[in-house]
Amino acid sequence: MTSRDLILGEAELDDEENDQSFDEENGSVKEPVNGVNGKFHDSSEEEESDDDEDAAREIREGFIDDEDEEEAGERERRRHRHKKRRRAEKEREEEVLDEEDLDLIGENDPAYERRVPSEPKFKRLKRGHKEDRHRAVSRGLDEMFSDDEGESGGIAPHEVEQDRLGRFRPERRGLPDEFEDFIEQDELTDDDEKARRQEELEVARPKAGQSYTGVNAEDSGLNEETLETMMQAFGDGEEYKWALEMEEDMEEQELADQQLELKDVFEPSQLAEKLLTDDDNLIRWADEPERFQIARKPFKHVVLTDDQFKEEALWISNLMLPKKRLARDLIEPFQKAIGKVLEFFVTDEVEVPFVFQHRKDYLIHAAKVQSTPDPRNPDAPEYVVGAEKLLVQSDLWQVLELDLKFRALIEKRNTLQRTFDNLSKLANVHDEIFDTLLPKAETMEELQDIQDYMHMEHSTHLKDIQALNGQVNGTQRRPVSQKSLFERIRNGKVYNLVRAYGITADAFAENAMAESGRRRYDTEDPSKLPDDMADEESVLDPPEFATGAQAMKAARLMFAKEISTNPKMRKVMRRAYYLTGVVECFRTEKGLRKIDEQHAYYEFKYLRNQQMSDIAMQPDMYLRMLKAEEEGLVEVKIRLQGGDNFRKSLISSLVSDNFSEIADAWNEERERVLDMALTTLHQAMTKNVKEHLKTQCEDEIVNICREEFSKRLDQAPFKPPGEALGSAPRVLALSCGTGQANRDAVCWAWVEDDGRVLENGKFNDLRYDEKAKDEFVELVERRRPDAIAVSGFSVETHRLRTDIINIVDSRDLRGSEFDDPETGQEMSRKLDVVMVNDEVARLYYTSDRASTEHPGLAPLTRYCIALARYMLNPMKEYAALGRDIASITFHPSQQLVSQEKLLTQLETAMVDMVNLCGIDINEAVGDSYTANLLPYICGLGPRKATSVLKAINANGGVVSTRDELVGDPEENKLPVVGPRVWNNCASFVYIEYDASESTSDYLDHTRVHPEDYELGRKMAADALELDEEDVKAEIDEAGPAAIVRKLIKDDASDKVNDLILEEYAEQLEQNFNQKKRATLETIRAELQQPYEELRRNFALMSDDEIFTMLTGETRDSLCKGMVVPISIKKVLRNERKLEAVLDCGVRGFVDEDELPIDRDIDLNQVYSLHQTVQAKILSVRYEEMEVILSLREDQVQRPYRKQLDRMPDEWDEEQEDRDRDLLQEKSKETGRTQRVIKHPLFRNFNSLQAEEYLGSQARGDAVIRPSSKGPDHIAITWKVSDNVYQHLDVLELDKENEFSVGRTLKIGGRYTYSDLDELIVNHVKAMARKVDEITLHEKFQGGSKSDTERWLTTYTEANPKRSVYAFCIDPKHPGYFFLCFKAGQHAMLATWSVKIIPQAFELRNNAYPDMRALCNGFKLLFGNMQNGRR
C-alpha cells in the first residue's frame, strides 16, 4: 500500500443559507491512522531484506531450522500459486463463457466493443487478480489518479501484453472504461514466466553435494555411506510417486471441471438488470408461464384445499359483484364463471389471453329463450339463444390479482391456526372467540385483529412456546422479557376489579353488533361502589397496586385494552367508519401561507364532510391530500358523522339498566372506560381507513391509466387510401423542433412501410422560400408518400403544419394511386397532413437506442423517424420503450402511485393487445422491433422470450410449424418451450402460410389453437361437402392439413358461412362436455381471413390533444379569467395594439380598449419589445392557439379563482375568511413595497414561487425578483439542476431613485456589472455553462453523494491498486459540487468541494478555467499534500 492511502477527510460545510458566505475551506483533515490501511512504506523493507539474508546464512550453518518456523498456510499458498500457473497454461485456449452472454451484458453500454471472433473468449478472465509487471510497479505522484486526460495518444505500458513468441500487442478492450481493471487475466508477464521456469529447473536439478535422494550430505552431518544405508532400509520414496501424481492430476481435473459462470465475472446488479441471475434462469427454464411464476413466487408453498378453492370463488365473486351490477338471475352464473376461471388459472395454468380467446364460452351466460310465434314466418325457430357477458378481459386480470390476495389471506390464516394449535397442544389453551372468528375472517384487517387479540390474551403462553422452540431447535435465544403490565394485571388480584364491571369485552361487542339495539348480554352491578371495592384486600396487589386509586387505574386500562383489542368490537368500529365516516382536511401553519389561491392544493385546503363515496369519485384529489400531508401543509382527518349518536348506542350496550347509586357509579366508570377504548380504536381505525382508501384510490388511478394506455395501443397502422386495415403506410415526417418554422431548418425523414429509413434532409423556410417549397414538392412527387407526419415541441409546429397544408393545396400534391372500390378505376387522393402524437418520439430521439440505430443522424431527424414509425405501428413503438413507458402521462396524478404498481397494470394492457394481434414468430427472429413484442405473448416474458429466440436460432433460425416449438427429434429440432408454455402461446404466434410448401399448415396462420385444429378441419370438410372417404383420401395423400389447404386453394372459404354452428356446439357440449360456441365462430372467421386486423383505425389527435402536446397546457391550466405573465413581441403603434406571447408559446393580442393608458400617450413610451407584464385572459381560441388579453388594472387586479363545485357544508368558508384576514395583517406588518423592474426576466415572485416557476425550465434559466433585504437589493434565482436553485443577492449602487435599478450591480463583493443583461450573460449564464461542463464530464456521477461513494468503493474493490475520483452535485449548497475520491481499496473515502464561479471552477481557493485543468490541479494539490506530510 502506498502513501495514497492517506487521504484527507471529508470537508465540513457550514450551514449558512447565503451561498456567498459558504466557505469550502472549513473542512478538517484527518490524521493518518496506524494500521493496515494507513501504513507508510519506508526503508524498513530494506532492513527486512537484510534480516532475510542473515537468516539464510544461519540456515546454511545449521543454526536455524527454517522449516520449523515456516507456517503451513504459506506453504499451501505457494503450492496453490504453482498449480494455478500450470492450470492457466492449459486453460489458455478454452472457451469458458458464451460470447453471446458477454455481449448481452454489454449491449447497452456505448463504450462496449464486441470481441474479435478469432480471439479466445473471455481471455482476460484467466488472469484472476494478478497484475502484470507494468501494473505491479508502484506509480509515483505524477501518475496518481491517472486517466485519459493527457495529450498522449500512444499505448500506455500497462496496456501492452506479450504473447508466447515475444511479440507485444495492445491489450484488447471489451468493457467500459470504469470496468477496465474489473476483470483481470491470469497471464504471467515475461519476468514472471522466466522466474517460474527457473524455479522449476532449480527444483528438478540436484544441488551440489546433494544425492538423488534429496538429502544434502554436508548439511545433514552424515557421510554418504550412512545415507546409503538409510536409503536401503527405508527406500527412496519412488514407489509412492504414482499415488502423489494421481492425487495431483485429480486435483487439477477437478479445478478444470469447474466452469467459470457469469456470476463469477459480473456484479449481481448487472446480472439482475439483464435477468441473468440464478433465479432468472430457474424462471426461464421452468415449464410454467413466466408471469405466473413471478406473481406466485411468495405463495408457492400455499396449497389450497378443495373447500378453500370453493371459498375463494365465492370470496372473489362477492368482491367483484358490487361493481358489476348484474341482474339477480345472473349472480349464480357469475359465481360459476369465477370458479371456472380460477380452475383455468390454477389447474390448467393458462394465462388471461388464453382464457379470453379460447375459453370465451365460460365467460358468457347463454340461455334459450322461447321466441314469440310469428304468423308471417312459420319456420322461425322456437327458441332463440340470449347471451350475457359475465366477465370481460379486464375482469380476468382482476380475478388473477384477487387470487394472489386470497393466497396471502390463506397463508396468514394458516400461520395463525398453527400458532394457536401449538398453544392448545403445549399450553392446553382453548379460546372460543379464536375458534369462531378465524374461519370467518375474510380480510387481512380481520386476521390482524385476531392476531392482536391472540397476543393480548395469550402473550404469556406465546413467550413460553417461543422459549421452548428455542431449546428444541438448539438456537440461542434471549431470555424472556419481563411480563407486561397487562399480563401482571390479568394474573394478579387487580383483575377481580375488571370482572366487577359486570360484562366482558366480548359480550359488550356482541351487544354492539346486535341489530335493532337488542342486547344479547346484560350487565350486572356489584354490591359496592367502585372506590370501595378498589380498596378491598381481594383487589389490592402491592407493591405495584398498593392503593385503591392505583388498582382502579389499572382496572380501567385493562378493560379498555380488552375492548379495543376485541376483534368483534374492531369489526363494529370498522363498519361504522366505512358507512358513516367523513374525510376532512385542515391546513397547518406551514400551509396557511404556502397554499394560496393559485396553489394546486387550494381545492382541498378547507375541505370538509367528504363521504367515502365522494372520495371514490375523486381518487386523484385524495392522493394529493395525502401528498400535501406528507409535505406538512395539511392534516387529513377522518371522523364519524353522527359520532355522538354512535357513542350513545355503544353506551347503551355497555351500561346496566339498574337504578341505584351503585349502578350510577359503575355506569360512570363504564363510560369512562369506553371513552378510553374509543380513543385507541379511533387512532387505529383512522390509520386503517386512510390506508384502505389510499389503496383503493391508487388502484383506481392505475386502472384509469391502463384504460388510457389500452386506447393508445388499440390503433392499427395509419391506413393508406385504398388499402386494407392493417397495411402500413409510407411516411414523410417533418419537424421544426423548438425553432420557428419560417426561420429555423425543418428536418425530415422518409420511412418505408417496413420501417427502413431511406432518405433524410432539411428544408429552409417553407412559408416564404419558393426554392424550399420546390424542393419539398419534388420530394413528395418522387417518393409518393401515403401521409405526411408533422409534430414538434412548440406552437410553431402548428404553423408549420399550416404551411405544409397550404403547399399541398396549392400544388395539388397527391398520394399513390389506388383502385376505387365502387368503380374499379384508378384514383388518388390529396395527401393527408397528420399531426402525430410525439410522446414516444420525445423519449426516443435522445435515447441510447436512437444513437445506436441511427448514429450519424441529428437528434431532430431521429425524432422524425420515430414519428413515422409511430404511424407504421403504434404498438411496436410503445413496446420498444420497456420500463420507460411509465414516463408517459396517462393521468395527471399517476406520479402519486408507485411506479411498479403502474408498470404492472400497463403491462396487462400491452399483453392484451399483443395477443389480440399476434406475432409472426419468424419476423420476430429477424426484426428487433417485432422481438420487443415477444415478452408480452401469453405464457412468455422477458426471460423466456430471449431463450425462445436463442433456441430458434439454434434450430436454424426458421420455424415451419407451431408443433416445432416443442421440438421435433426427426428433424433434429430442439424444444423451444415446454408443453405448458406452448399450450399458452401456440395460437398467438403464427407462421405465414405458403401454399408452395407441403408442410405449411394454413391453420398455423390463424388465431385457432392447435387443440381446435380438428374442429377447423371438420368445418372445412363440411363446407366442401366432403364425405368421410373423400376426407380420408385427402389426408392420406397430403396429411392432416390437406382439407383446409383444399378449401383455400378452391377459394371456397366463404362456404363456411353456410354452416349451422349452433348444432356443432350442442353436439360438442353433449358428447365431450366442452363449450365451444364462441370458438366455432372464431374458426369460421379465421378460415376466411386469418389474423384479421381487429384494432381500431389510427386515431387522429383532437384539437385539445394537439394544444396540450405543443403547449403543455390544458383547458384547466389555461382558461378565461387567469392572470398570466406575457412578453411583448410587437407594438403596433398606429393600430394601438399589442402582440405578445405567453410562457407556453401561445400568442396573445391586446386591443386598444384593453390598454390601461390614454389614447394620446404613445405606446412606445410605455411598452417595449420583450417587456414582461401581467395580463388577464379574456378568451382562449384553442384551435388557433391564441388568447385575447387585457392589461387594464381593474381586470389584472382581480385575481382568478377556480370555481369549485362544492356543497355549502363541504367548504369551511369561515375559516377561509379568518385566514385571509390573518394573512393581510401579516402583510401589513412586513410593510414590503411591491417593486416592478422593466426586464423580460423579472417576476414578482418570492423564492418558493421562483423555484416552482423554474421547475419546468431548462438549466441556466433565471428569474429576477424583488429582494427582502430592502430597496437597494435584487434577488436572482437560477436553475442549477433539477430541484437545485441558487439565489443570488445583488447589491445596487448609484441608484437614481428607490424604484430604479442601480447603475452598478455587485454580487458577493467580488463581481461588478453595469446592468442586468451583463450580469445575466457574464455571471449566471457563465456559471450555467460551467455546470454543463462538469455534468457532461466523464468523471461526473448523476446520483447522490452516497451513490457516488458506493460507486467508488465498488470500483476500488474490483481494482484494488487503482485510485479513482468522481464529481457529483451538492444539492444542499447550490453552485457547489462534491469531488469524491478514494486512493485504493483500503483507503478512506474523502471529499473536497468545487465551487462554480463565472468562467472557472474553484477548488481550495484555486481557480481552474476548465475541467481538464481542474482534474490536473486536484492531482497536483493532493500530491503536494502527501509530499508535505512525509
Side-chain angles (χ1 to χ4, degrees), residues 862-897:
R862 299 172 191 160
Y863 174 82
C864 294
I865 294 171
L867 295 177
R869 282 182 170 173
Y870 187 87
M871 294 188 70
L872 265 60
N873 195 330
M875 184 175 67
K876 284 187 178 181
E877 295 305 304
Y878 284 115
L881 292 178
R883 293 179 63 87
D884 290 339
I885 191 68
S887 302
I888 295 178
T889 300
F890 302 102
H891 189 280
S893 300
Q894 72 183 51
Q895 73 278 2
L896 300 176
V897 183

Side-chain angles (χ1 to χ4, degrees), residues 73-264:
E74 182 64 21
R75 292 196 301 271
E76 181 65 19
R77 282 193 295 272
R78 287 205 305 270
R79 187 177 69 87
H80 180 69
R81 285 197 298 268
H82 176 64
K83 288 185 176 182
K84 187 176 181 181
R85 293 193 190 102
R86 296 180 60 188
R87 188 168 65 255
E89 294 293 330
K90 295 177 63 176
E91 295 178 345
R92 188 78 61 191
E93 302 299 327
E94 290 181 1
E95 294 182 2
V96 182
L97 291 178
D98 191 350
E99 186 173 353
E100 292 180 5
D101 291 333
L102 183 63
D103 291 340
L104 181 62
I105 293 294
E107 64 183 357
N108 282 346
D109 196 318
Y112 177 74
E113 299 177 1
R114 293 183 180 270
R115 302 267 174 162
V116 178
S118 61
E119 289 291 322
K121 299 180 180 179
F122 285 87
K123 178 180 141 190
R124 297 184 63 215
L125 301 179
K126 300 175 185 134
R127 283 173 55 191
H129 291 289
K130 283 197 174 188
E131 300 281 352
D132 59 20
R133 177 66 61 184
H134 301 290
R135 290 186 182 272
V137 176
S138 178
R139 289 181 293 179
L141 291 173
D142 294 337
E143 297 177 353
M144 181 180 54
F145 298 111
S146 65
D147 47 27
D148 297 334
E149 289 147 10
E151 294 287 342
S152 175
I155 301 174
H158 65 276
E159 295 180 355
V160 179
E161 58 184 50
Q162 189 177 17
D163 62 12
R164 293 177 179 274
L165 299 177
R167 297 187 300 265
F168 287 86
R169 60 184 186 273
E171 183 180 352
R172 297 188 180 272
R173 304 273 180 176
L175 296 175
D177 291 340
E178 59 265 26
F179 294 109
E180 64 180 15
D181 291 317
F182 184 72
I183 303 175
E184 299 292 348
Q185 296 180 0
D186 193 16
E187 286 191 14
L188 302 176
T189 64
D190 187 56
D191 293 340
D192 288 340
E193 181 69 16
K194 291 180 179 179
R196 183 185 65 79
R197 292 178 179 175
Q198 183 65 28
E199 181 181 350
E200 291 176 352
L201 292 174
E202 291 294 335
V203 171
R205 183 177 66 244
K207 295 182 180 179
Q210 180 179 343
S211 68
Y212 62 90
T213 60
V215 181
N216 190 299
E218 295 181 0
D219 292 343
S220 64
L222 301 175
N223 55 34
E224 292 186 4
E225 185 177 341
T226 305
L227 290 174
E228 187 70 23
T229 303
M230 292 175 58
M231 185 189 68
Q232 292 175 357
F234 300 104
D236 58 358
E238 289 294 328
E239 62 269 24
Y240 301 108
K241 184 177 180 180
W242 63 272
L244 296 175
E245 291 178 349
M246 181 179 294
E247 180 182 1
E248 185 173 346
D249 291 341
M250 291 176 63
E251 289 180 2
E252 292 183 358
Q253 182 64 33
E254 182 180 353
L255 292 173
D257 292 340
Q258 294 178 358
Q259 294 292 324
L260 200 60
E261 299 181 0
L262 285 174
K263 62 184 178 181
D264 301 324

